[in-house]
Amino acid sequence: MSQQRGPASAGPPGPTRARGVPPEVRAWAAALWAALAGIVTMLVIAALGLWAAGAANLPGGAFPSVVAAAVLTAAGGSVTLSGDAGIIAEANAALDVVPLSVTVAGALVVAAVFLLPLRHRAVAGTGEVLARIARTAVCWLVLLLLLTFAARHDFTLSVGNDIANQIGAELGSTPTVGFRADVPATLGVGLLWVVALLALTVLVSRRVPLSSGLLRLQDAVRAPAFAMVLTLLIYVAVGLVVAIVELFTRGRPADTLAVLLLGLPNLAWMALGIGTGGGWVGHVDKAIGLPMPPALDQLLRAHGQHTVDLGSLAERDGRAWLLVALAAAVLLVAAFSAVVRSPVRRPAWRHAVELAVALAVTLFVVGLLTAISAHYGLSLIGVGDLGGNLGGQVTLQPQLLRLVGVGLVWGLVTGFAGSLLARGTRRRGARPD
């Protein structure tokens, strides 16, 4: 019977081993599937979040264009705003914010689908891994390019009353505000985004059968990188639990759902930075509705620029000090996970230094991603905003040096403590230095 196995032992052809399909075609199909799955996920999350925020009621059928623009910004792209109000008036607007809920959802899906074919390989060489990353990046850029054609729309603004609108129309000064995707910036930053994501995915995952050359590189960065990914995802999970409780226990469920689907990691990762002693500086005008935790809302809506940190938040809500305990617990778990994934006999001071550098870089990136700069306004003959809620501003800028400094300190302490906690722990799959 052993002589009758032959081709029958291979079983029915699967989606990645279809009969008659060249390997190159299968490889491109897998790359397209990874990119497409990520984009579709981001479109769904962005559409649901914007719908909860009320964007479905935007005039002129702008909702699909706004969804496309949200996905582009979430994927590292850029959308430029412009205004045109004719000869005597000027409409101006600017927007710089990343909907990180959309970003995280798309990143997780792309990473998961990208890893599927690699898990069935005996060994994935450097050339093969780089080729898979390149193909996926090309497919990703093509899909981003298609979205840039959809991410454009123009709105007509009212200057306050019917008479003013009529006079403006007669004088050719009816104000309009529109947005367009910045194609070069979108494709350039989008390429860096997807390549960095896929490279991090390969280096962090231990289920990819890498060649010896890539294994040495993975050993150098995998443990602290995994610890930081774990930290960020734990904070998102905690934020998700808090958001669900808020959704069912307090009013304004639509606003809570909008924050959950668009900006949950923005708030959760700020909590990480604030809990470790970092800070942001910002202000929110009353003219712009922005659902946020009560203490943060009160602080940012106060007159003038304010520093958002533990001290300022604790003045309005003493529970802010719980962020310190949360940071300590999560970072200890992350440090412990890094130690047990590191090569054996690595000294405690090296674990501490590695985690310090990783946490400092992570908080630096978190600061950049959570920055917000938004403004819109309408002026007549160059004199101020015309009122009637036609102008508003939101700013939230990180104190990057402060974030990097506290990241180094917390990383050193928790990295050393995690090394002590992991003494005597069995390290599955660990390799000696």
Side-chain angles (χ1 to χ4, degrees):
M1 293 181 64
S2 61
Q3 297 178 353
Q4 297 177 358
R5 289 181 179 179
S9 63
T16 60
R17 299 183 63 182
R19 294 177 179 176
V21 179
E24 189 68 19
V25 174
R26 293 201 302 268
W28 278 102
L32 178 60
W33 171 233
L36 187 61
I39 290 293
V40 170
T41 300
M42 297 171 78
L43 285 171
V44 171
I45 298 297
L48 292 175
L50 290 169
W51 169 79
N57 299 322
L58 289 172
F63 184 65
S65 299
V66 174
V67 172
V71 171
L72 288 181
T73 56
S78 177
V79 176
T80 59
L81 305 180
S82 61
D84 182 11
I87 59 175
I88 64 171
E90 179 184 1
N92 57 84
L95 178 64
D96 183 11
V97 59
V98 180
L100 288 178
S101 293
V102 181
T103 303
V104 172
L108 291 177
V109 171
V110 170
V113 178
F114 176 81
L115 288 176
L116 287 178
L118 291 174
R119 294 173 62 181
H120 300 292
R121 296 298 303 261
V123 176
T126 303
E128 179 185 357
V129 172
L130 293 178
R132 288 182 180 273
I133 292 177
R135 283 190 290 264
T136 306
V138 169
C139 295
W140 184 260
L141 289 182
V142 171
L143 294 176
L144 287 186
L145 181 61
L146 294 177
L147 283 178
T148 61
F149 295 106
R152 57 181 64 192
H153 196 81
D154 292 309
F155 300 93
T156 300
L157 301 179
S158 172
V159 297
N161 56 66
D162 294 337
I163 297 178
N165 288 334
Q166 184 177 358
I167 294 175
E170 293 294 333
L171 296 177
S173 59
T174 300
T176 60
V177 172
F179 61 88
R180 301 284 187 276
D182 187 337
V183 177
T186 295
L187 297 183
V189 180
L191 176 62
L192 294 177
W193 185 92
V194 72
V195 169
L197 168 65
L198 297 177
L200 181 64
T201 299
V202 171
L203 292 176
V204 169
S205 175
R206 65 180 178 186
R207 296 188 177 184
V208 179
L210 300 178
S211 61
S212 58
L214 287 178
L215 278 176
R216 286 192 293 269
L217 177 61
Q218 188 187 54
D219 282 343
V221 301
R222 176 175 172 264
F226 177 86
M228 292 301 99
V229 172
L230 179 64
T231 298
L232 295 179
L233 292 182
I234 289 177
Y235 265 87
V236 171
V238 172
L240 180 60
V241 172
V242 173
I244 292 175
V245 173
E246 291 280 333
L247 186 64
F248 289 102
T249 60
R250 296 192 178 183
R252 303 176 67 186
D255 289 342
T256 302
L257 186 61
V259 172
L260 190 155
L261 293 172
L262 295 175
L264 177 63
N266 298 67
L267 294 174
W269 295 347
M270 277 187 64
L272 168 62
I274 293 172
T276 53
W280 280 255
V281 177
H283 174 68
V284 175
D285 285 346
K286 293 183 179 180
I288 297 179
L290 186 67
M292 63 185 76
L296 182 60
D297 179 88
Q298 296 170 13
L299 179 62
L300 290 179
R301 292 185 191 277
H303 180 71
Q305 297 282 328
H306 291 272
T307 300
V308 181
D309 57 13
L310 271 174
S312 60
L313 290 177
E315 290 178 358
R316 291 164 172 81
D317 190 341
R319 292 175 297 179
W321 291 108
L322 293 175
L323 295 178
V324 180
L326 177 62
V330 173
L331 289 176
L332 277 176
V333 170
F336 181 86
S337 70
V339 174
V340 299
R341 284 168 172 78
S342 300
V344 296
R345 300 176 183 172
R346 182 166 290 182
W349 68 264
R350 184 170 173 182
H351 291 300
V353 171
E354 288 179 348
L355 197 67
V357 174
L359 184 57
V361 172
T362 299
L363 290 181
F364 181 84
V365 174
V366 164
L368 295 179
L369 292 177
T370 55
I372 299 175
S373 178
H375 169 78
Y376 67 94
L378 180 65
S379 62
L380 189 65
I381 321 180
V383 181
D385 287 328
L386 295 181
N389 288 338
L390 291 176
Q393 186 173 9
V394 178
T395 59
L396 189 64
Q397 299 300 322
Q399 296 177 324
L400 293 177
L401 289 179
R402 181 175 175 179
L403 287 170
V404 170
V406 298
L408 290 172
V409 173
W410 275 78
L412 285 172
V413 173
T414 56
F416 189 83
S419 179
L420 296 180
L421 290 174
R423 283 185 176 179
T425 303
R426 181 184 179 185
R427 304 184 188 182
R428 184 178 59 181
R431 289 178 296 276
D433 287 324

